[in-house]
Amino acid sequence: AIPPQDGALARGLTVYRFMERQFGAQSFIMMRGEMAVGAFRTRHDHPLEEFYLGLSGAADMEIEDQTFRLGPGVVAWTGAGTSHAFRQVGNEPFRWLETQTPQFPSKYGTRNYVEWEKLRAGR
């Protein structure tokens, strides 16, 4: 399971965007991501689709309450509004390629569930 929330939505997560609007792409974003050992990203969703291709290392990915192991050559897809979260596993950083389509809106591109739960609880 993804670690409990302690104020951080993500730890040890880095993304390198190399194809997006500023580079001429009109409909998608492409990036390489890296999760350091012990890294995580809590449950969230987006109003867009994402495709992931594992390059090295491993991570557990929760998609709509089901857990999948991502590793080299493994692909995953999340549709618009699909809840998902990640946790790096093993002794090697997890690296992947990712595409997002359409491109993120200028506002409200990510809904972080922990923040919604705080609002629901009145905190």
Side-chain angles (χ1 to χ4, degrees):
I2 303 303
Q5 191 64 26
D6 66 356
L9 299 174
R11 277 226 170 83
L13 172 64
T14 307
V15 294
Y16 307 91
R17 291 184 175 176
F18 56 88
M19 184 52 66
E20 60 182 334
R21 191 169 286 118
Q22 76 181 60
F23 300 117
Q26 299 300 307
S27 301
F28 78 104
I29 294 172
M30 182 176 276
M31 68 182 87
R32 183 178 70 79
E34 183 171 317
M35 296 188 90
V37 172
F40 65 89
R41 174 63 172 100
T42 59
R43 185 172 303 282
H44 62 286
D45 68 35
H46 311 284
L48 48 89
E49 297 179 25
E50 295 178 297
F51 175 85
Y52 307 86
L53 170 63
L55 299 175
S56 64
D60 283 343
M61 182 177 188
E62 292 180 12
I63 302 173
E64 295 289 333
D65 298 320
Q66 290 188 309
T67 302
F68 303 92
R69 177 68 48 98
L70 299 181
V74 177
V75 299
W77 171 80
T78 57
T82 301
S83 70
H84 56 290
F86 303 87
R87 180 176 57 87
Q88 182 278 341
V89 295
N91 298 321
E92 175 185 356
F94 175 60
R95 293 179 178 93
W96 73 96
L97 284 179
E98 178 178 339
T99 61
Q100 301 170 332
T101 188
Q103 292 187 7
F104 263 79
S106 60
K107 293 175 93 177
Y108 311 118
T110 301
R111 179 172 52 174
N112 295 299
Y113 286 35
V114 170
E115 292 172 341
W116 283 91
E117 291 303 322
K118 287 178 185 176
L119 288 172
R120 185 176 297 154
R123 292 188 270 155

